Amino acid sequence: MLPFPPTTTLSRRAVPLAVVTAAALAATVGLTGGAAHGQEPEAPEQIVNGGFDDGHAPWWGTPNLTLDSSSGQLCADVPAGTVNPWDAIIGQDNIPLVAGETYEFRFFGSASPARVGKALIQLPVDPYTQYLAANPELSVSGNDYRYTFTSPVDLPNAQVAFQIGGSATAWTICLDNVSLRGGAEPEQYVPDTGPRVRVNQVGYLPKGPKNATVVTEATTALPWQLKDRNGKVVRHGRTKPRGVDASSGQNVHTVEFGSYTRSGTGYTLVADGETSRPFDIGSDFYEKLRTDALKFYYTQRSGVEIRDDLRPGYGRPAGHVGVAPNQGDTEVPCQPGVCDYTLDVSGGWYDAGDHGKYVVNGGISVHQLMSEYERSWLARTGEPWKLWDRTLNLPESGNKVPDILDEARWQQEFMLKMQVPAGEELAGMAHHKIHDESWTGLPLLPHLDDKRRELHPPSTAATLNLAATAAQAARVYRPYDRHFAARNLAAAKRAWAAAKANPEIYASPNDANGGGPYDDSDVTDEFYWAAVELFITTGEKEFRDFLLASPHHTGDIFTAGGMYWGGTAALGRLALATLPNKLPRHERDKVRASVVKGADGYLATLKAHPYGIPYAPANNQFDWGSNSGIINNAIVIATAFDITGKDKYRDGVLETMDYIFGRNALNQSYVTGYGEVASKNQHSRWYARQLNPDLPNPPVGTLAGGPNSAIQDPVAQQKLQGCVAQFCYIDDIESWATNELTINWNAPLSWIAAFIADQDNGDARGRLF
Ligand code: 9MR
């Protein structure tokens, strides 16, 4: 972070730093630093009348605001009951921007009572592209704010907009000294990465491996010490120099202290004069994560009230049940020209921080939950009773069905609803997705979304996601609800037939207004996965012949980036390797060997990686949602453990989680509530505490997407330009490209948490597979 000396230049109301909260510092680019920031004195002012000493023209306000500049500041009373940020705006138009020029945007702002505002510099017309998006935490006494951004466009008429809607209660905003000048030095964002000794801040299993990474200039081995919570040295040794790590650009050493096995809390590791953040040695935390990572799904539910008694602090009205201002999802039309019927597609999980619901991504998510359940029965260390009824505190708890299946069913019911009804064109296909006709802003609770909801065209990929998950549901739910199982099997077969008849209907990459595209123009892997699930459930020849002929049955599918919503072949391969099925033994052995080989590849990557992850994407370009790729690769390694029982695979899984929990370049955990410093501002319209203190943070056990080299969002672009892989992340709610939460990222987290919790202290010996 930059130093923040009290300003002496622009503001007449500079506040002493002591009254500025740490949160405010973290949430804004910086309070004004005056001359220290190197502003070019001659750079011309682009904003007209930002001082309000003589009226406020040409500033404008939305009709619900009365602008008052009689005090020498511009003040407005914001009425109660606005929903979206843009329901109340103070703005100025016709601001010229020059491409490549770095600007400094400054203003004084106060709010009574305190509120988070939105300050934007943007295109004045649809799609309102934002060149700067800031969320100043406005206090009653007021602060000076300063941001910089580099304009990507030449534009004669940009707009400065203070969006101040979205509050249930009335408040007053005042602005002063609004200024925009070019020629600024680009902001240097420096994350606070704390001590240079990087550990799993949550903890290590007593009998598991224990690895850490030290960031240091030293090139020869250094002494290290492990200290217990009283500061007593309980083990010591020497580091291993590892050179420069490509994923962080840092010179690093590694520490291995797995020979120390005593449980306890408050351990620290000391090396090179630095003391790590504290950690435990134990196993309780994985037992807790097993359920926390699954409990995440209840508060993602659409179409039902979230009960505060079940999730204190997270209760909210049902979203999208056809109650105004919602327009759906009980009777949703298609996009214009796509179909002439409506469907009841209420229910399911919201995909992520948006209110969209997508069959493609919903598929892998619900599949991995059902697979977690299936593994609990089949793996040698599996503990099915840990996922049993009454484990997740759900409305359905007590119904004698495992809670994990109650949760998965909420989504699977939605998947079934997305199938095109009999008698319609493309009957049996699944609509790709349903979401708002255009993007909504943050924050926005689901029940307050007033946009039109639309069904998007059916796609082959969605249809195969439905076929795969419905085939799986048919076997998983059979002991609990034969009727639901039969309904799924019928839907799966209908979907399969429809996909075979329409094998190349692809979702458009351009269909991305109001929701993500989830486009995919190679669905051969989805065909393979669906055939596998149908084969495991039915044993039928058609599916066996299909899967044996698929290139994905023998191809090298264990890629660097790992399985994900657009690459599902590995889901099929893992299922065939682990679930009872009618493949001849020698065929099945080949499949198992291929999984073990895939795991060996990931282990080799992990061993070569000074931060111990089975992830080394081409050109060091970390993917969108890299954390899920990393954990999905660990699932392949875990499956090799289930197949072979060899400790090295279990150790690889455990070491992978060290990275997720803090052994990384940013020295932070990516799971909310786990570790001393952890992600807590993931992009979400309803866990939006960073924008509105009345709302909660994401629930404990929520995984952040993690470093994404492509930094597509404005906050990341503003602060992380030029970042090296692991540094391409920021815990800011507006960084949707690096810091979102999703149903398909928590699914592998919950799978792997259950796997590790099953390992007890790292030495579980279960029944034979
Ligand atoms: O996770 C998705 C990622 O793989 C894609 O590259 C990206 C762009 O298409 O979309 C991501 O998914 C987002 C989806 O489109 C909308 N809901 C939020 C998802 C997570 O960011």
Side-chain angles (χ1 to χ4, degrees):
M1 283 301 218
L2 292 163
F4 300 104
T7 180
T8 50
T9 48
L10 269 184
S11 170
R12 24 174 224 262
R13 288 179 194 78
V15 281
L17 269 185
V19 304
V20 177
T21 63
L25 287 179
T28 62
V29 173
L31 302 178
T32 179
H37 291 287
Q39 179 193 317
E40 300 276 339
E42 68 275 15
E45 177 59 71
Q46 306 297 339
I47 284 180
V48 180
N49 188 16
F52 310 113
D53 291 328
D54 185 18
H56 53 262
W59 290 89
W60 51 266
T62 44
N64 53 353
L65 300 177
T66 303
L67 305 189
D68 174 9
S69 49
S70 56
S71 64
Q73 297 183 27
L74 179 62
C75 297
D77 293 330
V78 187
T82 55
V83 173
N84 300 294
W86 55 84
D87 290 346
I89 305 175
I90 297 173
Q92 182 172 132
D93 294 330
N94 298 319
I95 313 278
L97 294 180
V98 176
E101 180 82 5
T102 299
Y103 291 87
E104 183 183 64
F105 180 48
R106 303 170 74 131
F107 60 90
F108 167 86
S110 68
S112 181
R115 282 283 183 289
V116 180
K118 226 182 218 324
L120 303 172
I121 296 181
Q122 61 178 9
L123 194 68
V125 291
D126 200 18
Y128 298 100
T129 311
Q130 298 172 355
Y131 311 119
L132 173 78
N135 296 295
E137 293 189 20
L138 304 169
S139 65
V140 176
S141 53
N143 291 322
D144 291 292
Y145 298 88
R146 172 188 183 272
Y147 308 89
T148 63
F149 71 101
T150 303
S151 176
V153 287
D154 280 315
L155 189 70
N157 62 337
Q159 180 180 76
V160 174
F162 292 92
Q163 293 189 346
I164 48 183
S167 174
T169 52
W171 62 293
T172 301
I173 183 171
C174 291
L175 299 168
D176 205 354
N177 296 328
V178 189
S179 160
L180 182 73
R181 288 176 191 268
E185 284 295 311
E187 194 81 37
Q188 274 298 321
Y189 168 75
V190 182
D192 177 3
T193 54
R196 288 182 286 103
V197 180
R198 306 292 157 73
V199 297
N200 177 334
Q201 294 171 27
V202 178
Y204 299 87
L205 297 191
K207 301 284 175 58
K210 297 175 192 71
N211 294 281
T213 297
V214 183
V215 180
T216 174
E217 295 298 307
T219 49
T220 54
L222 296 166
W224 60 261
Q225 298 175 317
L226 174 66
K227 294 186 176 176
D228 69 12
R229 70 169 191 273
N230 301 316
K232 186 176 145 216
V233 176
V234 293
R235 189 118 321 179
H236 60 87
R238 295 186 79 76
T239 63
K240 187 172 169 200
R242 300 288 295 267
V244 174
D245 162 44
S247 71
S248 63
Q250 300 164 323
N251 189 62
V252 293
H253 294 195
T254 49
V255 173
E256 205 280 302
F257 58 105
S259 64
Y260 187 80
T261 58
R262 183 168 299 179
S263 297
T265 59
Y267 287 101
T268 53
L269 192 66
V270 180
D272 202 22
E274 298 265 309
T275 300
S276 75
R277 292 191 169 137
F279 58 89
D280 294 353
I281 296 178
S283 54
D284 307 356
F285 30 88
Y286 281 111
E287 202 54 74
K288 182 168 166 349
L289 186 62
R290 182 201 308 257
T291 50
D292 282 348
L294 283 172
K295 285 180 176 176
F296 162 90
Y297 289 91
Y298 173 53
T299 49
Q300 286 293 119
R301 284 190 191 184
S302 178
V304 70
E305 177 199 356
I306 304 305
R307 282 170 44 188
D308 202 65
D309 61 321
L310 299 178
R311 293 292 184 282
Y314 290 87
R316 59 170 172 80
H320 301 99
V321 283
V323 174
N326 283 170
Q327 297 194 34
D329 297 345
T330 47
E331 223 180 323
V332 183
C334 280
Q335 283 179 306
V338 169
C339 75
D340 54 12
Y341 51 84
T342 62
L343 289 183
D344 175 356
V345 291
S346 55
W349 300 318
Y350 296 118
D351 185 59
D354 58 329
H355 300 145
K357 303 189 292 192
Y358 310 83
V359 172
V360 163
N361 198 47
I364 186 172
S365 312
V366 71
H367 162 76
Q368 288 194 307
L369 260 57
M370 291 191 283
S371 296
E372 178 180 340
Y373 168 79
E374 292 192 293
R375 180 192 170 276
S376 76
W377 281 101
L378 292 167
R380 67 182 72 209
T381 54
E383 299 175 313
W385 57 92
K386 296 282 178 61
L387 300 171
W388 208 243
D389 192 20
R390 297 185 196 278
T391 50
L392 299 179
N393 217 14
L394 301 174
E396 297 84 3
S397 295
N399 68 354
K400 301 196 170 66
V401 176
D403 278 3
I404 188 171
L405 292 189
D406 286 328
E407 193 54 69
R409 182 170 178 164
W410 191 263
Q411 175 72 357
Q412 188 55 31
E413 293 273 12
F414 159 74
M415 300 282 288
L416 295 172
K417 290 178 177 179
M418 291 290 279
Q419 194 162 28
V420 177
E424 302 291 350
E425 199 192 339
L426 298 179
M429 298 284 283
H431 286 277
H432 194 67
K433 55 179 184 169
I434 176 246
H435 58 67
D436 297 317
E437 63 178 334
S438 57
W439 284 106
T440 56
L442 272 67
L444 182 64
L445 283 161
H447 69 285
L448 296 177
D449 173 17
D450 63 1
K451 296 249 174 182
R452 176 183 156 99
R453 308 277 279 177
E454 290 175 337
L455 289 165
H456 292 244
S459 70
T460 309
T463 305
L464 291 166
N465 270 262
L466 174 62
T469 59
Q472 185 180 19
R475 61 176 185 265
V476 164
Y477 288 92
R478 212 173 126 80
Y480 306 103
D481 184 340
R482 294 176 71 88
H483 176 69
F484 182 58
R487 200 148 61 86
N488 273 285
L489 187 56
K493 289 190 163 180
R494 266 205 320 278
W496 174 261
K500 290 289 292 288
N502 303 282
E504 289 177 359
I505 300 187
Y506 302 130
S508 164
N510 302 321
D511 187 9
N513 191 13
Y518 285 121
D519 55 305
D520 185 357
S521 52
D522 176 358
V523 296
T524 56
D525 51 322
E526 281 80 7
F527 266 111
Y528 175 67
W529 174 38
V532 166
E533 296 295 349
L534 278 156
F535 173 66
I536 293 172
T537 299
T538 67
E540 288 170 16
K541 183 171 180 305
E542 175 187 357
F543 307 118
R544 188 194 62 202
D545 291 349
F546 188 96
L547 76 89
L548 288 176
S550 165
H552 297 292
H553 189 58
T554 48
D556 180 13
I557 55 172
F558 296 106
T559 55
M563 52 203 179
Y564 74 115
W565 59 264
T568 59
L571 301 177
R573 196 82 74 78
L574 296 181
L576 266 188
T578 53
L579 290 158
N581 65 66
K582 287 199 174 154
L583 275 191
R585 175 166 281 270
H586 71 278
E587 277 295 340
R588 159 86 155 249
D589 287 348
K590 277 198 274 180
V591 175
R592 288 188 165 183
S594 78
V595 171
V596 173
K597 186 163 170 246
D600 286 337
Y602 290 137
L603 266 193
T605 303
L606 179 152
K607 290 284 166 219
H609 202 298
Y611 277 102
I613 44 175
Y615 185 71
N619 304 319
N620 207 23
Q621 293 298 296
F622 273 37
D623 297 300
W624 192 317
S626 62
N627 283 338
S628 76
I630 291 168
I631 299 177
N632 272 324
N633 290 348
I635 287 180
V636 177
I637 302 174
T639 306
F641 175 78
D642 285 342
I643 290 170
T644 66
K646 287 190 183 155
D647 287 352
K648 65 176 179 179
Y649 298 114
R650 171 161 65 202
D651 289 354
V653 173
L654 291 166
E655 191 169 345
T656 304
M657 291 309 286
D658 295 341
Y659 168 91
I660 297 293
F661 286 145
R663 182 196 178 195
N664 55 50
L666 292 175
N667 197 4
Q668 65 143 92
S669 161
Y670 288 107
V671 180
T672 307
Y674 284 76
E676 192 176 75
V677 176
S679 301
K680 60 177 191 310
N681 293 315
Q682 289 94 325
H683 178 80
S684 163
R685 281 165 178 68
W686 57 106
Y687 310 127
R689 191 179 174 86
Q690 192 184 341
L691 302 179
N692 178 351
D694 297 337
L695 294 172
N697 288 110
V700 166
T702 299
L703 181 69
N708 169 5
S709 298
I711 54 169
Q712 291 91 337
D713 63 78
V715 169
Q717 284 173 5
Q718 186 189 336
K719 298 193 182 172
L720 306 177
Q721 259 340 316
C723 55
V724 176
Q726 282 201 54
F727 285 102
C728 301
Y729 170 83
I730 184 164
D731 186 24
D732 187 302
I733 192 164
E734 301 282 9
S735 183
W736 38 263
T738 80
N739 197 34
E740 193 152 356
L741 51 83
T742 72
I743 56 173
N744 60 311
W745 300 339
N746 249 66
L749 178 69
S750 84
W751 194 105
I752 213 76
F755 171 87
I756 299 178
D758 284 347
Q759 309 310 317
D760 305 337
N761 283 333
D763 58 354
R765 293 274 163 241
R767 62 210 149 81
L768 275 181
F769 192 55

